[in-house]
Amino acid sequence: EAMDSISYIASLSFDADGGSCAVSKINQLKGKQWSDPIASAEDYFKDRNFCTTTKTGYTVDGWYTAKNGGGTQVTGSSVANSNITVYPKWKAKTSTVTFDCNGGTGGGTQTFTYGVANQKFTTSCSKTGYKLDGWKESKNGDSQYSVNSGVTNAWINGHSPTTTLYAHWVPLSTTVTFDCNEGTGGGTQTFTYDKANQYFNTSCSRSGYTLLGWKDSKNGTSAVYTVSSGVTHDWINGHIPSTKVYAHWGASIYTVSYA
């Protein structure tokens, strides 16, 4: 007589519903809990554990008598009364990402869910003198993701349940055009926020005049900056991405000697 037709034995069959199961069925004496041990040498009773099923991007959130979590939940402590088939309730994996501003301000967290389309990073950070140029997985590494990078199912699956990303900063710069203001020469210089000891070193010449400095407007009446003025971080930050300064001239004074 087949074992599964014996009146005092019940079988619990596992339908992996898109996943995979190493154990397809466990058997139990009626009236006992499915996970109760049985003192028997029969191979028929050797498997006592529920199927450990796997499916990419999902975890099992219990076993039920109908698909998608329908019917009644069945656990190891449920009583074996009859032959039944159970199905996994699949739960999509999530990745909760902490955005670390890495010396800046802002940041926060976002949670991304496997199987949901068009998910992107929307968290931002700010840092004086710097541009947020993306995100990276180590504090001191290179940028790996764009500021508003989209996330794939594979990425979520590989970064579940949590991960931290760090802001990747690029220093801002200002390009200064030196206008000789009726003189000759001039040019441009670029100053970068994270560098020290930066100075104006562009020159101009004009017959009969001496370059006294630089000013912000062509017709200004006095020099705002010296000829070799140093630039500060605050000045660079306030003149991004470019600016123009104009030569400020003073008439040359000549001394005439009479024999």
Side-chain angles (χ1 to χ4, degrees), residues 39-204:
S40 172
E42 296 284 348
D43 286 344
Y44 189 77
F45 293 112
K46 69 178 182 179
D47 291 318
R48 302 269 28 96
N49 296 318
F50 273 39
C51 160
T52 303
T53 187
T54 58
K55 182 180 179 182
T56 301
Y58 294 86
T59 58
V60 176
D61 192 29
W63 290 88
Y64 290 79
T65 55
K67 292 184 178 183
N68 302 317
T72 303
Q73 185 175 14
V74 178
T75 68
S77 60
S78 298
V79 175
N81 289 320
S82 60
N83 296 338
I84 57 174
T85 297
V86 290
Y87 306 84
K89 178 184 178 183
W90 293 114
K91 182 179 180 181
K93 286 185 177 180
T94 60
S95 177
T96 296
V97 182
T98 298
F99 292 88
D100 185 313
C101 286
N102 198 13
T105 58
T109 61
Q110 284 182 253
T111 298
F112 303 99
T113 303
Y114 190 94
V116 176
N118 302 319
Q119 299 178 92
K120 296 181 178 182
F121 297 164
T122 58
T123 303
S124 191
C125 295
S126 60
K127 184 180 180 181
T128 300
Y130 291 82
K131 173 187 175 183
L132 179 61
D133 195 48
W135 303 96
K136 52 194 178 183
E137 294 187 359
S138 62
K139 202 172 183 71
N140 299 314
D142 294 325
S143 181
Q144 295 169 277
Y145 310 106
S146 65
V147 174
N148 299 118
S149 179
V151 293
T152 64
N153 283 336
W155 190 90
I156 295 169
N157 191 51
H159 292 79
S160 180
T162 61
T163 194
T164 298
L165 297 179
Y166 300 88
H168 180 71
W169 297 109
V170 172
L172 295 172
S173 62
T174 183
T175 297
V176 181
T177 298
F178 292 86
D179 185 313
C180 287
N181 198 10
E182 298 185 27
T184 58
T188 62
Q189 283 181 252
T190 297
F191 302 99
T192 305
Y193 188 85
D194 65 337
K195 293 182 180 178
N197 302 318
Q198 299 177 91
Y199 300 90
F200 293 171
N201 59 23
T202 302
S203 189
C204 295

